[in-house]
Amino acid sequence: MTTTEQRPGADTPSSSDNASRFADALRRADLVAAELRASAAERDRANAAPVAEVELLRTHDLLQVGEPVELGGDGLNYAQSQQLTRRIARGDTSVAHLLGYHYAQQRIPHLFGTREQAEALSRRNASEKLFWGGVQNPRGGSALELTRDGDGFRLNGRRTFASGASIADQLSVTAVFEGDLVFLSLPAGVEGFTPLGDWDNIGQRLTDSGGVEFDDTPVARDQILGSDPLTGKELSAYQQLVTPHWQLAFANFYIGTAEGALDEALDWTRLHASAWETSGLEAATDDPYILELVGELRSQIAAAALLADRAGDVLQQALDFGPELSAEQRAEAAIAIAEAKYLTTKVSLEAASRLFEIQGARATTSAYGFDRHWRNLRTHTVHDPVAYKAREIGDWTLNHRAPQFSLYS
């Protein structure tokens, strides 16, 4: 992201054009979501690598939306791109996971790279419609270590969680170099890189999120983001926005999943649900208890979605402020994201678990696959315990202590 990005606002030619491109991108995302929803249960059971799903995103020009218009992108800002993630989640949470991470990883060169590195990767993103996979999870296995090798470098180590890495065109990687964190951008198929193919979890089955290993992988200097020296530098408050990038993606695909799951449940209820035998009603859709639950869940989902919108706005304002961002401003953005993350987690899990109360017992038939919504949400949300987000919010509210930066906060 750069400080030259514009958000929709005053009715100027640039903002009007941006709004039109954003609306068109949302329309394309809705088409993809509808196609994904039609086969979501079947694909969830098949548990195959999401190659076709990524190609669907590419075909509908959803991979390069954040790049400048003059390069072939849509010129959308980061908050707008994550609105697309939410739309895709209404059809398939796994694919939204991949897309949300993809958008976050595409922005990392703009936070940590030189201008030349960021511009070169933007041009490739736009022209080649690259799909980015990530090897950046800070936990789960031995660290990746970068070491010097003559004029170049070598990367060794293993991570147990790396979404989209085996099907990616470009890899965004974090590693340790001489005790410091560094960010790398590597082409797919790089020598010594091995996806382990060991992702077999109850949810998010189509996210290609298994372990990976690097064995003496050669790394050129220009594939390490940033200028020399590589070590001894503290991350600026602006660079520390890297974590809110991911967290905003999470909030959006959580609440998008809840929106899609509720709509799917209501469609099924209208077509198939039967009134309870003692209700004295002809149709389940007239049952006051069902109506009460639908109203409750719809209200909660709408509120969480608005909070996610606000979080996106606050993060975008921080990104638009640019490299001179203060620690206080960074903290405000991180807390806004944490609030959205907390509520979208709670609301989406409750919605996904209570939908069967609307539909009835027949909706639990395996062929429908309605359980996938809860399985997907539960699988991802426990990777980053939301209790820690509540603690950070409380500490900021009561003591004005900012969240300590990590790749989780």
Side-chain angles (χ1 to χ4, degrees):
M1 287 295 157
T2 68
T3 56
T4 60
E5 288 181 314
Q6 284 193 300
R7 295 177 56 75
D11 189 15
T12 64
S14 59
S15 66
S16 177
D17 290 347
N18 176 276
S20 177
R21 291 190 299 271
F22 182 36
D24 188 58
L26 289 170
R27 180 189 60 80
R28 300 196 307 269
D30 286 341
L31 290 173
V32 171
E35 185 169 342
L36 291 170
R37 175 185 287 186
S39 60
E42 179 182 352
R43 290 182 293 102
D44 177 70
R45 287 191 294 271
N47 197 17
V51 175
E53 289 81 353
V54 170
E55 284 307 308
L56 185 64
L57 297 172
R58 198 190 318 270
T59 299
H60 284 79
D61 287 330
L62 293 175
L63 296 182
Q64 76 277 23
V65 295
E67 302 304 345
V69 174
E70 59 271 22
L71 297 182
D74 288 285
L76 303 188
N77 64 38
Y78 186 70
Q80 290 172 323
S81 71
Q82 292 298 353
Q83 290 278 342
L84 303 182
T85 297
R86 188 188 304 180
R87 297 297 182 97
I88 296 298
R90 295 174 184 174
D92 191 311
T93 312
S94 289
V95 181
H97 170 149
L98 290 169
L99 187 63
Y101 279 41
H102 161 83
Y103 289 144
Q105 284 147 189
Q106 280 188 326
R107 297 299 94 194
I108 285 174
H110 296 262
L111 291 174
F112 297 98
T114 64
R115 180 181 294 274
E116 293 74 20
Q117 287 173 321
E119 288 181 354
L121 286 166
S122 279
R123 288 185 181 278
R124 286 194 62 212
N125 288 337
S127 63
E128 301 175 36
K129 302 180 184 180
L130 299 178
F131 171 67
W132 286 59
V135 186
Q136 296 175 322
N137 192 284
R139 300 179 69 244
S142 58
L144 297 182
E145 185 174 6
L146 187 70
T147 55
R148 293 189 185 275
D149 181 28
D151 293 334
F153 301 82
R154 295 278 173 176
L155 182 63
N156 285 279
R158 176 181 292 211
R159 286 272 170 76
T160 61
F161 184 86
S163 291
S166 76
I167 60 170
D169 305 304
Q170 192 76 11
L171 297 175
S172 185
V173 182
T174 54
V176 173
F177 175 66
E178 296 181 356
D180 281 358
L181 179 71
V182 291
F183 287 81
L184 317 177
S185 184
L186 303 176
V190 67
E191 178 187 332
F193 171 66
T194 304
L196 301 180
D198 54 359
W199 182 247
D200 186 26
N201 290 47
I202 65 169
Q204 295 302 81
R205 292 176 174 174
L206 275 72
T207 59
D208 185 37
S209 291
V212 297
E213 187 170 19
F214 291 89
D215 183 12
D216 262 357
T217 296
V219 177
R221 172 61 189 89
D222 64 0
Q223 293 172 331
I224 307 170
L225 298 178
S227 58
D228 292 324
L230 293 172
T231 58
K233 296 182 288 188
E234 290 189 11
L235 297 185
S236 68
Y238 181 71
Q239 290 174 317
Q240 289 178 16
L241 291 175
V242 62
T243 309
H245 275 72
W246 281 307
Q247 297 287 320
L248 182 63
F250 302 165
N252 274 290
F253 69 72
Y254 294 168
I255 203 60
T257 299
E259 291 171 339
L262 180 57
D263 286 346
E264 197 171 347
L266 297 181
D267 286 343
W268 191 94
T269 299
R270 294 182 187 105
L271 291 171
H272 303 297
S274 301
W276 185 241
E277 61 183 31
T278 62
S279 68
L281 299 169
E282 294 275 337
T285 51
D286 293 326
D287 189 310
Y289 300 108
I290 289 177
L291 295 176
E292 179 188 23
L293 180 54
V294 170
E296 179 184 339
L297 294 179
R298 178 63 78 189
S299 298
Q300 291 174 345
I301 290 170
L306 287 171
L307 197 58
D309 289 343
R310 173 182 173 272
D313 289 341
V314 174
L315 176 57
Q316 192 60 52
Q317 289 164 11
L319 290 168
D320 290 345
F321 193 90
E324 301 307 313
L325 190 80
S326 70
E328 180 87 359
Q329 289 171 304
R330 192 271 175 187
E332 290 170 352
I335 291 298
I337 298 289
E339 290 169 345
K341 173 73 178 301
Y342 178 84
L343 192 61
T344 56
T345 297
K346 295 292 187 180
V347 167
S348 63
L349 283 169
E350 180 174 8
S353 67
R354 298 196 69 191
L355 293 176
F356 294 106
E357 297 175 36
I358 298 170
Q359 297 167 289
R362 283 187 296 150
T364 64
T365 301
S366 296
Y368 295 124
F370 292 134
D371 61 308
R372 71 186 185 279
H373 302 301
W374 182 88
R375 288 189 286 100
N376 286 335
L377 290 164
R378 186 71 283 178
T379 297
H380 195 278
T381 54
V382 293
H383 280 75
D384 183 8
V386 75
Y388 284 85
K389 292 289 177 284
R391 188 189 70 175
E392 290 169 1
I393 297 164
D395 204 13
W396 175 257
T397 303
L398 187 61
N399 302 311
H400 206 66
R401 280 195 288 261
Q404 185 176 359
F405 169 73
S406 76
L407 292 182
Y408 280 113
S409 62

